[in-house]
């Protein structure tokens, strides 16, 4: 049997990840250190790369293996579930078991509020559920088990994924006080081409280099001063005064907007709204708990999420009549003007 088919080797990797060394991991699993070393050596031979970085004392998991750990944890969790005598085959029902689900959400969102809200609800409804979180797993990560449910800023295309729509997202251009002091800010949309633009990278599913204002739009892809990065990098550069952000969500810079360290510019211009989807693997779409959590996420986005945008447009004194082209779900525009 290939060592990769031996559950013990994956348990060993999990324990090394927890304890930080092979000796303690072997003790935790009650196996001789010599056997643990042999399992690691065999795994390295089969994988074709190093599992432990032996240049460090004690030897640590290599970066390549660290990337595998979400999949390893999922494997072990599923094994614990299906090996339980309480497992009910084929029904999708899980009773009196400790089990886990991983939810992926966009970095470009208020992760703290989302996590706290979902964790609180699940703790009451599913006390045996261990809810874990990751960010921006992508369709590949969802398919490979890095997450079980994912919140995407686009419509997933893979045929093995099931998804439900969950409204739309939109953003407005923002600059920081530091940027204004160093470079000034554009007085109109034509001047924007003379400034550094911060945008999400092309690999992001919601990438779209367009700004619009009513019937008018501009394409930023031809601008010479465009920096592409993930949401966290763009946020840091925005705050440090390195550029003007185009597609960072207001909730991602809550504190900076509150303190007015960051502020909106070019009133009326915004990213075209892009669709939000909540997805899972098709094989899990009929599981009751997966259905419930998808619905919880949709509910969180369509209620607190809606209220959050209404708050910011009021807080920043951006009246909706100045945004004739912006998408607002039914009833939002009326609430914005109250």
């Amino acid at each position: 049997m290939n060592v990769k088919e031996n559950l013990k080797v994956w348990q060993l990797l999990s324990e090394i990840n927890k304890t930080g060394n092979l000796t303690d991991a072997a003790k935790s699993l009650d196996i001789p250190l010599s056997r643990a070393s042999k399992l690691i050596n065999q795994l390295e031979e089969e994988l074709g790369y190093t599992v432990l970085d032996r240049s460090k004392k004690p030897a640590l998991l290599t970066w390549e293996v660290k990337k595998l750990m979400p999949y390893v944890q999922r494997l072990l969790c599923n094994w614990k579930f299906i090996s339980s005598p309480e497992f009910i085959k084929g029904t999708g029902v899980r009773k009196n078991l400790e089990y886990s689900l991983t939810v992926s959400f966009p970095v470009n969102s208020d992760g703290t509020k989302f996590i706290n809200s979902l964790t609180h609800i699940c703790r009451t409804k599913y006390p045996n559920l261990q809810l874990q979180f990751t960010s921006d797993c992508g369709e590949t990560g969802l398919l490979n088990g890095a997450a079980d449910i994912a919140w995407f800023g686009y419509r997933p295309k893979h045929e093995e994924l099931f998804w439900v729509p969950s409204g739309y997202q939109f953003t407005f251009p923002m600059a920081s006080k530091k940027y204004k002091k160093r470079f000034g800010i554009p007085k109109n949309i034509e001047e924007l081409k003379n400034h550094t633009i911060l945008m999400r990278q092309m690999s992001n599913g919601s990438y779209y280099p367009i700004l619009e204002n009513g019937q008018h739009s501009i394409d930023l892809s031809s601008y010479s001063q465009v920096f592409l990065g993930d949401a966290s990098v763009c946020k840091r550069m925005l705050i440090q005064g390195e550029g003007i952000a185009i597609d960072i969500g207001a909730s991602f810079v809550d504190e900076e907007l509150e303190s007015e360290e960051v502020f909106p510019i070019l009133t009326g211009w915004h990213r075209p709204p892009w669709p939000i989807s909540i997805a899972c693997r098709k094989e899990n779409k009929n599981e009751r708990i997966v259905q419930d959590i998808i619905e919880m996420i949709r509910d969180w986005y369509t209620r607190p999420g809606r209220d959050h945008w209404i708050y910011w447009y009021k807080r920043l004194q951006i009246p909706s009549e100045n945004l004739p082209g912006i998408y607002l779900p039914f009833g939002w525009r009326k609430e914005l003007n109250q």
Side-chain angles (χ1 to χ4, degrees):
M1 181 178 71
N2 293 334
V3 72
K4 287 184 295 187
E5 299 173 7
N6 187 342
L7 189 68
K8 188 64 71 176
V9 74
W10 303 114
Q11 292 173 328
L12 184 59
L13 287 186
S14 178
E15 288 302 317
I16 294 173
N17 193 45
K18 291 178 185 177
T19 64
N21 65 84
L22 181 61
T23 302
D24 288 342
K27 287 181 180 178
S28 177
L29 295 175
D30 195 27
I31 61 176
L33 180 59
S34 58
R35 185 190 171 201
S37 297
K38 184 177 181 180
L39 284 172
I40 294 298
N41 290 335
Q42 290 174 331
L43 182 63
E44 289 178 327
E45 184 176 342
E46 287 188 18
L47 293 177
Y49 56 80
T50 303
V51 169
L52 290 181
D53 181 357
R54 295 172 178 81
S55 67
K56 296 181 172 61
K57 302 297 182 183
L60 302 175
L61 293 178
T62 60
W63 179 75
E64 289 85 356
V65 176
K66 282 281 190 180
K67 291 193 299 182
L68 292 176
M69 292 316 297
Y71 307 106
V72 173
Q73 297 301 335
R74 186 63 183 158
L75 168 69
L76 297 177
C77 179
N78 284 337
W79 175 255
K80 180 180 179 182
F81 172 49
I82 64 175
S83 61
S84 167
E86 298 173 274
F87 174 63
I88 304 175
K89 184 177 180 181
T91 64
V93 179
R94 307 173 177 188
K95 295 183 178 181
N96 302 320
L97 296 170
E98 290 187 6
Y99 54 96
S100 71
L101 287 174
T102 300
V103 178
S104 173
F105 62 95
V107 171
N108 190 26
S109 65
D110 185 359
T112 302
K113 291 181 179 178
F114 168 68
I115 289 172
N116 288 343
S117 176
L118 191 58
T119 301
H120 175 73
I121 295 171
C122 286
R123 187 178 294 123
T124 302
K125 191 168 184 178
Y126 297 104
N128 294 322
L129 173 65
Q130 180 186 10
L131 203 56
Q132 303 180 87
F133 294 91
T134 186
S135 58
D136 285 340
C137 73
E139 292 183 48
T140 300
L142 184 55
L143 287 165
N144 291 342
D148 302 291
I149 299 169
W151 173 354
F152 293 132
Y154 56 91
R155 300 300 192 219
K157 297 180 175 60
H158 200 284
E159 62 182 11
E160 293 301 316
L161 293 180
F162 168 80
W163 59 270
V164 295
S166 185
Y168 289 79
Q169 174 73 289
F170 51 89
T171 58
F172 43 78
M174 291 183 278
S176 67
K177 286 183 177 179
K178 289 183 179 179
Y179 186 87
K180 182 179 180 180
K181 184 177 181 179
R182 295 173 65 188
F183 307 107
I185 57 174
K187 297 183 179 65
N188 53 59
I189 196 65
E190 288 75 23
E191 293 184 3
L192 185 61
K193 63 185 177 184
N194 301 320
H195 294 261
T196 299
I197 307 299
L198 309 175
M199 286 197 303
R200 304 287 295 279
Q201 68 266 54
M202 295 182 190
S203 59
N204 186 279
S206 61
Y207 171 80
Y208 195 57
I210 303 294
L211 283 179
E212 65 179 28
N213 185 354
Q215 301 302 313
H216 306 284
S217 64
I218 59 168
D219 186 344
L220 305 174
S221 60
S222 61
Y223 282 22
S224 59
Q225 302 180 64
V226 176
F227 174 85
L228 300 176
D230 65 26
S232 297
V233 172
C234 287
K235 175 181 177 179
R236 287 198 299 271
M237 294 187 71
L238 168 67
I239 294 170
Q240 292 167 5
E242 298 295 336
I244 292 171
I246 298 301
D247 52 9
I248 289 181
S251 62
F252 197 40
V253 285
D254 255 340
E255 295 180 4
E256 291 78 15
L257 283 168
E258 285 281 11
S259 67
E260 299 183 351
E261 185 64 30
V262 167
F263 53 90
I265 63 170
L266 301 172
T267 300
W269 288 91
H270 56 88
R271 265 280 310 271
W274 62 93
I276 303 298
S277 307
I278 314 300
C280 68
R281 293 178 293 277
K282 278 187 177 179
E283 65 193 60
N284 303 125
K285 71 175 185 176
N286 293 322
E287 289 194 26
R288 188 179 308 150
I289 188 169
V290 172
Q291 294 173 347
D292 283 353
I293 291 180
I294 287 176
E295 194 56 37
M296 289 177 201
I297 297 172
R298 292 184 72 190
D299 187 63
W300 182 91
Y301 186 81
T302 56
R303 292 185 183 182
R306 178 204 64 179
D307 295 343
H308 195 73
W309 280 107
I310 291 174
Y311 166 77
W312 276 117
Y313 272 80
K314 285 184 176 180
R315 171 75 169 75
L316 299 171
Q317 298 181 343
I318 306 176
S320 63
E321 58 265 24
N322 288 350
L323 304 173
I326 204 162
Y327 172 91
L328 288 173
F330 180 77
W332 282 34
R333 195 173 299 280
K334 179 179 178 182
E335 292 185 57
L336 277 172
N337 291 322
Q338 290 178 347

